[in-house]
Amino acid sequence: SQKIEQNSEALNIQEGKTATLTCNYTNYSPAYLQWYRQDPGRGPVFLLLIRENEKEKRKERLKVTFDTTLKQSLFHITASQPADSATYLCALEVLSGGYNKLIFGAGTRLAVHP
Amino acid sequence: GAGVSQSPSNKVTEKGKDVELRCDPISGHTALYWYRQSLGQGLEFLIYFQGNSAPDKSGLPSDRFSAERTGGSVSTLTIQRTQQEDSAVYLCASSLRDRAYEQYFGPGTRLTVT
């Protein structure tokens, strides 16, 4: 069966450390992978998109890797801050009926402690 | 500029009543999506619009759910004869195109069926 798995347990880290979140998938062949941030009571906000032929993408303190052999994406936040505390969702873009449908994982909650 | 807006922000209804949820996408975005998010869960895809047509309705959970989009802009999601299991946050998103492009989400409508 098709699955997207993100760590369901919250990730607690100390301010200043690097947070690493994992997204694993099975039986999908995504052309792209996206990461979103969601704060309580709000809709998700887009962070980064990475293509299947890209190994790594960076944006300020964020870095995403995409390994289509391992079927895994890693999302890193360096020099983490309490303001980075949120739920982070990965989403696969899969071709479906002529368009790219986004399939979301359940998300991982990140808590950065001062 | 204006983002995606949704109304109402909260809706409490009695089991068996019909509800209408509204989404105003970003001007010029031809792609529009509806998702449902239950507590602690990921986003569940409901329906995709390209312009006024809905090429993908595969996520609608039953025939009690319907949606329309008029003028390539505003969309309405209607749930007839609501059930308690319909309680969730309903999120709308729009994007400029339906491939390799970020989706912009509204704040959601929290629906509670009593």
Side-chain angles (χ1 to χ4, degrees):
Chain A
S1 63
Q2 296 175 313
K3 282 193 299 187
I4 303 174
E5 292 180 320
Q6 294 187 256
N7 197 333
S8 58
E9 292 184 13
L11 178 63
N12 290 283
I13 66 165
Q14 209 66 31
E15 182 176 10
K17 302 289 188 186
T18 296
T20 298
L21 286 70
T22 304
C23 176
N24 295 300
Y25 59 93
T26 53
N27 294 321
Y28 283 112
S29 297
Y32 307 92
L33 190 147
Q34 301 188 19
W35 282 87
Y36 287 77
R37 168 184 173 140
Q38 187 173 23
D39 291 283
R42 296 178 176 268
V45 174
F46 171 81
L47 296 175
L48 280 168
L49 177 150
I50 186 166
R51 291 168 166 71
E52 62 176 340
N53 59 356
E54 292 180 308
K55 295 285 189 208
E56 183 180 296
K57 195 84 168 276
R58 292 175 184 260
K59 179 182 174 183
E60 297 171 354
R61 294 184 296 112
L62 309 180
K63 184 178 87 170
V64 171
T65 63
F66 190 11
D67 188 325
T68 54
T69 302
L70 288 179
K71 295 187 182 297
Q72 180 182 77
S73 175
L74 298 178
F75 177 80
H76 306 270
I77 306 175
T78 58
S80 59
Q81 304 165 0
D84 295 326
S85 299
T87 296
Y88 291 86
L89 307 170
C90 76
L92 309 182
E93 276 196 53
V94 296
L95 187 61
S96 173
Y99 81 105
N100 278 14
K101 177 183 281 188
L102 272 188
I103 312 293
F104 284 85
T108 297
R109 191 160 56 85
L110 172 67
V112 181
H113 302 282
Chain B
V4 177
S5 61
Q6 291 186 247
S7 60
S9 55
N10 278 286
K11 177 71 178 180
V12 180
T13 190
E14 290 180 353
K15 178 182 169 181
K17 302 277 191 185
D18 297 352
V19 295
E20 280 190 355
L21 312 180
R22 177 186 167 108
C23 172
D24 279 274
I26 292 173
S27 176
H29 281 194
T30 57
L32 186 147
Y33 312 81
W34 283 97
Y35 297 90
R36 179 168 73 173
Q37 187 173 35
S38 301
L39 191 62
Q41 302 296 310
L43 275 68
E44 175 190 2
F45 167 80
L46 297 178
I47 188 168
Y48 156 63
F49 285 93
Q50 179 58 244
N52 290 336
S53 65
D56 189 355
K57 306 179 184 179
S58 63
L60 294 178
S62 75
D63 58 9
R64 296 185 296 104
F65 288 72
S66 63
E68 64 174 15
R69 188 180 185 193
T70 54
S73 182
V74 172
S75 176
T76 303
L77 177 69
T78 301
I79 309 173
Q80 295 179 310
R81 304 181 302 281
T82 51
Q83 304 293 313
Q84 286 186 330
E85 61 262 27
D86 300 333
S87 297
V89 176
Y90 289 81
L91 290 158
C92 172
S94 70
S95 66
L96 197 56
R97 57 178 188 259
D98 61 14
R99 187 166 302 193
Y101 202 81
E102 62 194 278
Q103 293 186 9
Y104 293 81
F105 283 82
T109 293
R110 180 175 297 278
L111 175 67
T112 304
V113 182
T114 61

